[in-house]
Amino acid sequence: MGTNSRSTTIIIMDTKEDVPGPAQLSDTTAVCFVSVKGLKDNWQRWSDERQEYQKHNPFSQDSRPSVVVPQRGKEDDYGRPTQGSRTEQRGQDAHTHVSREVQVLCEAIRNIGEHRDVDGEVITVKFGKLFEHYVTISNKLVGILLRARKQRLVDFEGEMLWQGKDDHVVITLLQ
C-alpha cells in the first residue's frame, strides 16, 4: 500500500491577486482558497439574524424597551410554537400519536370489557384486567387513560390509578 504524500494548504486572502504563483507551490500541495470577505459576510448575516431573533425573545437578557413581551390572553398564539417551525410539527406528530393510542385503548376496552346494560351500550372493565391485557400493547396505560378521560371517552373513580392498589376500580367506556 502506498501512502498519499499530498498535503492541503488553506490560503486565506482578501482578493484573488494575493494568490501565490505556481512556482511558489510544490507539486504535492493541494490549495484551497477562502475569501475573508465571504467569511465576514456570512458571520455578519448570522449575527444580524440572531440579534433580530433576540429582540422578540422574551427570555433573553435584552432589556431594551423595544422587546415585545407577549401577554397571556392577549394573543391567540401565546404559548404556542412559531407556525411552520419544527417544534410545531413535533407537537402535531405527538398529538396524532396520542390520539391513536387513545383509540387503541378504547378498542381494547370494547374487546375485553363486559356489557352492563340490555342494549350493550355501556361497557366496563376492571383496571387490573385492563392492565394485564394492555401491558402487551403499551407501557403508558395510566397516562392514556387520563387523556381518554379528559376527552370524555372513559370514566373512572379517583384521580390516578395504581397497579395492585386500584385493580378493582371499574373503568366505563362512554362512547
Side-chain angles (χ1 to χ4, degrees):
M1 287 189 183
T3 60
N4 186 355
S5 61
R6 185 171 208 152
S7 64
T8 303
T9 303
I10 298 176
I11 299 173
I12 300 176
M13 60 192 168
D14 286 327
T15 63
K16 292 242 179 197
E17 290 80 36
D18 296 340
V19 177
Q24 296 170 332
L25 300 173
S26 67
D27 292 339
T28 61
T29 302
V31 179
C32 176
F33 298 105
V34 179
S35 168
V36 173
K37 184 174 182 350
L39 290 173
K40 181 182 167 248
D41 290 343
N42 284 341
W43 179 259
Q44 190 61 47
R45 187 180 334 84
W46 178 85
S47 176
D48 293 342
E49 289 171 0
R50 189 71 184 163
Q51 285 176 353
E52 187 62 32
Y53 171 77
Q54 289 293 47
K55 285 180 185 177
H56 301 290
N57 183 356
F59 303 106
S60 73
Q61 299 300 321
D62 197 352
S63 60
R64 290 178 291 185
S66 64
V67 175
V68 178
V69 178
Q71 297 297 315
R72 187 174 189 181
K74 299 279 184 182
E75 298 178 24
D76 292 338
D77 60 347
Y78 175 81
R80 297 193 181 273
T82 307
Q83 284 193 342
S85 67
R86 290 176 59 197
T87 303
E88 180 187 40
Q89 184 60 44
R90 285 190 293 266
Q92 289 171 351
D93 293 346
H95 179 74
T96 302
H97 178 74
V98 170
S99 296
R100 275 195 305 262
E101 288 217 16
V102 168
Q103 290 172 352
V104 169
L105 172 68
C106 291
E107 191 60 37
I109 293 172
R110 276 189 202 94
N111 291 338
I112 66 170
E114 300 171 3
H115 298 280
R116 291 290 177 172
D117 67 347
V118 180
D119 298 333
E121 290 183 23
V122 177
I123 301 173
T124 61
V125 65
K126 289 191 177 184
F127 177 67
K129 182 178 180 181
L130 179 62
F131 189 89
E132 291 300 320
H133 174 76
Y134 202 78
V135 75
T136 60
I137 298 171
S138 175
N139 61 351
K140 301 177 274 301
L141 174 61
V142 175
I144 299 302
L145 272 171
L146 292 173
R147 178 58 70 102
R149 180 167 67 177
K150 186 176 181 180
Q151 296 174 3
R152 293 183 170 82
L153 298 174
V154 299
D155 191 33
F156 54 89
E157 288 184 24
E159 288 186 35
M160 181 69 80
L161 298 174
W162 303 96
Q163 182 188 10
K165 177 185 165 212
D166 294 321
D167 285 350
H168 65 282
V169 173
V170 175
I171 299 169
T172 305
L173 183 65
L174 300 177
Q175 292 187 12

